[in-house]
Amino acid sequence: MAKYRQIYETLRRRIADGTYAPGDMLPSENSLCSVYGVAHLTVRKAIGQLLSDGLIVCRQGKRSVVKGTPKGIGILSIIGTTSALNHPGLSTQIICKPELRTWSEAFSFPVEAHEQAAGCIYFERLRLLDGIPVFFDITMMPNINLSRFLNCDLENRSLFDSLRMMYQIVVTGGTQQFFAIRADKRIQDCLKVHAGHPVLQLNRKIDTNRTGFHIYSQLFCVTQKYGLIGTF
């Protein structure tokens, strides 16, 4: 990983975990150069990426100021799925490893022509809280400049973090559709619920900083024990 990306990831992580809260100033450019042993140009590239992601603002004559936390399309808002239940016992099982498929649509969303021509990377994951299934997640992405992704280990790892760190693909927004449904046989088996159990279904088309590259997902969740948490 390039040095500026290492600095960027470190600063991004500190913004995400609250070390640098909204309104805080980042260390000065000179300080960052000294800490990481790099030239000013390297630090400026890292700061520029944070600025591009909307995580900081740069004020003339002053150090960079933290604007907010990293985005990710979550259950009810722009927080990540992992944090949507705010629980340390969340784990991930891979139901279907990433594989190539053909596609013409994705969960009611039309797929753009160039995405359709590139083919689909398809995979399924199950999220559990303290060993109890809560989320069943199906994801589809265009097979565009994602070398080695088919071998990527997504168990207990964030998809959004993996895409950002491996391919510099960053989530910028998206569209979500909500449905109240009753569990069919597949959902019953995955989420361990009885026939007809009420389930929340979300269809999502997620925008990224890569022009013409979208992430499509379908999420099923049962929440009789845990409440969802989201910020707006």
Side-chain angles (χ1 to χ4, degrees):
M1 183 183 296
K3 192 66 178 181
Y4 89 91
R5 291 292 307 182
Q6 295 178 28
I7 298 170
Y8 160 79
E9 289 292 343
T10 299
L11 294 175
R12 182 186 177 98
R13 185 168 57 252
R14 290 176 179 171
I15 292 172
D17 66 19
T19 301
Y20 300 134
D24 288 350
M25 289 190 294
L26 291 182
S28 68
E29 187 175 302
N30 286 337
S31 177
L32 291 171
C33 288
S34 177
V35 168
Y36 294 104
V38 296
H40 284 263
L41 181 60
T42 302
V43 167
R44 287 170 189 161
K45 286 186 68 175
I47 295 297
Q49 188 63 59
L50 293 172
L51 181 65
S52 177
D53 290 351
L55 303 181
I56 63 172
V57 293
C58 293
R59 296 176 179 171
Q60 189 172 6
K62 296 184 179 181
R63 302 207 303 266
S64 301
V65 177
V66 175
K67 181 179 178 182
T69 54
K71 290 184 178 181
I73 299 301
I75 301 302
L76 297 175
S77 63
I78 53 173
I79 62 173
T81 301
T82 300
S83 60
L85 285 168
N86 194 26
H87 194 288
L90 187 67
S91 61
T92 304
Q93 291 182 2
I94 307 302
I95 303 299
C96 175
K97 293 182 179 180
E99 62 183 33
L100 291 178
R101 298 189 178 188
T102 59
W103 61 343
S104 59
E105 64 176 4
F107 317 122
S108 74
F109 294 108
V111 176
E112 297 184 13
H114 70 279
E115 294 180 314
Q116 182 176 340
C120 168
I121 294 179
Y122 176 100
F123 53 96
E124 300 176 358
R125 295 175 295 170
L126 184 66
R127 312 294 182 88
L128 304 95
L129 279 171
D130 296 329
I132 300 173
V134 177
F135 300 125
F136 173 47
D137 186 2
I138 305 171
T139 302
M140 302 170 75
M141 304 186 301
N143 184 29
I144 301 174
N145 297 326
L146 295 178
S147 62
R148 300 185 300 279
F149 186 86
L150 294 180
N151 297 320
C152 183
D153 181 10
L154 295 174
E155 188 163 346
N156 295 322
R157 294 182 62 186
S158 163
L159 170 63
F160 296 151
D161 285 349
S162 296
L163 289 174
R164 188 185 73 253
M165 296 179 70
M166 294 173 64
Y167 308 103
Q168 289 76 62
I169 296 175
V170 178
V171 169
T172 59
T175 302
Q176 300 186 120
Q177 301 172 338
F178 295 76
F179 303 90
I181 67 170
R182 295 192 178 277
D184 60 15
K185 185 62 167 60
R186 180 76 193 284
I187 297 173
Q188 292 170 44
D189 292 342
C190 288
L191 296 178
K192 307 303 181 186
V193 295
H194 58 73
H197 191 286
V199 174
L200 176 64
Q201 174 185 323
L202 286 81
N203 294 349
R204 306 185 294 180
K205 180 179 180 179
I206 300 169
D207 304 324
T208 73
N209 63 333
R210 182 182 287 184
T211 302
F213 184 97
H214 301 91
I215 304 167
Y216 303 86
S217 72
Q218 187 170 67
L219 185 73
F220 303 93
C221 60
V222 290
T223 60
Q224 68 269 32
K225 184 175 180 181
Y226 300 98
L228 297 173
I229 297 173
T231 56
F232 295 88

